[in-house]
Amino acid sequence: MKIRSVPFFNYPWVYEQHEEEIKSVMQDVLKRGAFILQKDLEEFENSISKFIDAKYVLGVADGTNALNLGLISAGIGRGDEVILPSHTYIASAASIHYVGATPVPVECGEDHMLDVDSIKKAITKHTKAIMPVQLNGRTCNMHKIQAIADEADLLIIEDAAQALGSKFKGKSAGTFGVVGTFSFYPAKVLGCFGDGGAVVTNDNTIGDKLALLRDHGRNAKGDVVAWGTNSRLDNLQAAVLSVKLKYYIHDINRRRELAALYDSYLKEIRQLRLPPPPSNDCEHFDVYQNYELVADQRDELKSYLAEHGVGTLIQFGGKAIHQHTELGFRDIRLPVTERMYERFLMLPMNTSLTNSDVEYVCEKLCNFYKNK
Ligand SMILES: *Cc1c(COP(=O)(O)O)cnc(C)c1O
């Protein structure tokens, strides 16, 4: 087999997939001059609300803003501690920092998700909330996390940036906590043509607060009734997202198919630990934002795959939250997470991949480990 190019992510594909339909929708918005807080945004918010069964969905500037506003609306602030997995994007921790609270990073488990036992050990009298991160398109065991939160009287703020449509026991990611957040960054499971995000809640008071917060504290009449900021999902992006949402179930199913295909080719390689396979056991329904392995000789493998045209990525620049010492994290030891960070690697996972792309990638992986 000759070298083929399997990039980690295919950005032009975000557009190419539905080029004609997107062009016509964008033209419609542009001709109407409907740019900010128009009906396309409202329609998109309503669609997401139905899709995940959440009462309030507010389109905001990006996933990081969604977290910031979510934390503020839930009353998290100065002096509070928020527990989160150390295996997450810096934005999860930064949002906690920016509301004046302290991010407390803890271990991740075998499935790469927030480790439940580590949460308990990190609770102090200052702990106000837990921020589970629905990483790689999987939802944490939210029953266990909810039980801990109930016992210690803590709020749950869900970072579901990577997990639109993912479920735990039939309930959608983003709807377990008092607030949940999503990102529509182009490489996310549902991606727009720039930055975008949403914050969701079932709580009336918080929903009202969020609506004010994202639009300068202005109510429906335009009167300023609270301190707010500017964090609105562009109407044009919302219109594009509505097009993509129509095909989203199909996209998720394709991602699950690709994950099953990887699984079938790679499961015999003892130097790899694969992510949980797509299951139908009614516990976890994963949407595979990422296909993240734990691999022996990770760096060597990454170079070998690159030589053969296969793009891979080490998530979050290869650094867990607590390893960012420049940000003031000192003397935190999370051995399980640290060991995994030496071995994490993500394979291409997106709907532009063909089955033979996946076969090619897996063949290269098999070749790499064959004589080791
Ligand atoms: C992408 C991401 C974010 C931030 O989303 P942006 O839209 O890029 O601001 C936050 N948390 C996690 C886990 C993410 O993957």
Side-chain angles (χ1 to χ4, degrees):
M1 216 191 266
K2 63 179 181 20
I3 290 193
R4 68 161 82 188
S5 164
V6 186
F8 180 74
F9 192 76
N10 184 344
Y11 281 95
W13 178 252
V14 178
Y15 175 54
E16 281 163 14
Q17 235 178 334
H18 309 291
E19 183 166 350
E20 288 314 312
E21 204 174 349
I22 284 171
K23 258 193 215 158
S24 107
V25 164
M26 286 182 86
Q27 214 170 54
D28 175 57
V29 170
L30 294 172
K31 285 188 170 164
R32 275 187 279 127
F35 301 117
I36 303 289
L37 293 180
Q38 298 296 308
K39 74 166 173 126
D40 310 85
L41 175 60
E42 202 179 319
E43 281 165 15
F44 173 65
E45 290 169 340
N46 290 338
S47 307
I48 294 287
S49 161
K50 281 202 201 90
F51 181 55
I52 62 170
D53 193 19
K55 192 163 173 191
Y56 295 86
V57 174
L58 292 127
V60 295
D62 51 56
T64 307
N65 268 268
L67 285 166
N68 288 339
L69 303 190
L71 287 161
I72 294 170
S73 69
I76 312 287
R78 203 167 298 279
D80 298 334
E81 291 175 2
V82 180
I83 296 168
L84 81 170
S86 197
H87 182 27
T88 185
Y89 191 35
I90 193 63
S92 319
S95 63
I96 297 166
H97 171 82
Y98 270 103
V99 301
T102 305
V104 178
V106 301
E107 291 277 28
C108 62
E110 289 258 306
D111 62 353
H112 309 198
M113 313 295 289
L114 174 57
D115 178 60
V116 174
D117 293 329
S118 306
I119 301 174
K120 287 188 200 153
K121 292 186 203 138
I123 295 174
T124 71
K125 64 178 193 300
H126 301 293
T127 309
K128 185 86 178 278
I130 304 168
M131 181 185 282
V133 178
Q134 315 302 20
L135 202 70
N136 296 335
R138 184 176 176 84
T139 307
C140 295
N141 184 325
M142 292 307 297
H143 288 184
K144 287 189 181 164
I145 294 175
Q146 188 67 58
I148 296 171
D150 289 346
E151 198 186 306
D153 197 18
L154 305 176
L155 297 172
I156 291 176
I157 314 285
E158 251 183 289
D159 181 348
Q162 301 194 353
L164 181 70
S166 167
K167 289 177 185 164
F168 178 70
K169 291 193 194 272
K171 191 170 158 67
S172 293
T175 65
F176 290 92
V178 62
V179 289
T181 65
F182 296 100
S183 165
F184 307 124
Y185 180 83
K188 294 282 154 87
V189 265
L190 184 73
C192 63
F193 298 159
D195 280 313
V199 52
V200 315
T201 184
N202 284 314
D203 182 292
N204 297 343
T205 312
I206 290 179
D208 292 342
K209 250 193 223 172
L210 285 168
L212 294 174
L213 271 172
R214 74 153 174 193
D215 187 37
H216 304 291
R218 292 186 297 188
N219 65 15
K221 283 194 291 181
D223 297 331
V224 174
V225 296
W227 286 109
T229 184
N230 182 2
S231 182
R232 303 170 299 219
L233 177 63
D234 286 1
N235 195 63
L236 193 58
Q237 299 290 0
V240 168
L241 284 164
S242 285
V243 172
K244 303 202 73 197
L245 190 60
K246 287 203 291 186
Y247 304 97
Y248 192 58
I249 295 285
H250 175 266
D251 288 350
I252 290 176
N253 288 335
R254 179 61 186 152
R255 284 174 178 274
R256 288 170 58 81
E257 241 171 59
L258 292 167
L261 207 56
Y262 272 130
D263 199 68
S264 69
Y265 287 120
L266 301 177
K267 64 171 183 262
E268 305 297 336
I269 303 180
R270 64 184 163 75
Q271 292 94 337
L272 296 179
R273 199 174 76 215
L274 306 182
S279 78
N280 293 309
D281 62 4
C282 305
E283 283 258 312
H284 292 275
F285 180 83
D286 298 359
V287 300
Y288 292 93
Q289 162 69 59
N290 302 309
Y291 193 80
E292 188 175 53
L293 304 168
V294 180
D296 288 358
Q297 296 165 280
R298 188 264 320 264
D299 293 336
E300 224 184 300
L301 171 65
K302 186 173 182 11
S303 309
Y304 179 86
L305 291 174
E307 280 161 30
H308 290 85
V310 178
T312 57
L313 195 75
I314 299 170
Q315 197 160 210
F316 311 131
K319 256 189 180 183
I321 297 299
H322 73 285
Q323 294 174 318
H324 288 277
T325 47
E326 320 75 19
L327 303 182
F329 294 105
R330 297 272 148 76
D331 306 320
I332 303 177
R333 293 289 316 194
L334 301 173
V336 177
T337 305
E338 285 159 25
R339 176 82 186 111
M340 281 168 86
Y341 262 81
E342 289 164 10
R343 301 171 74 216
F344 277 139
L345 188 69
M346 302 196 299
L347 301 181
M349 169 53 79
N350 59 77
T351 55
S352 76
L353 295 171
T354 63
N355 286 8
S356 73
D357 287 336
V358 172
E359 278 163 35
Y360 176 82
V361 173
C362 294
E363 188 197 280
K364 296 303 156 204
L365 270 150
C366 292
N367 286 349
F368 176 78
Y369 285 116
K370 199 153 54 193
N371 301 314
K372 312 238 174 207

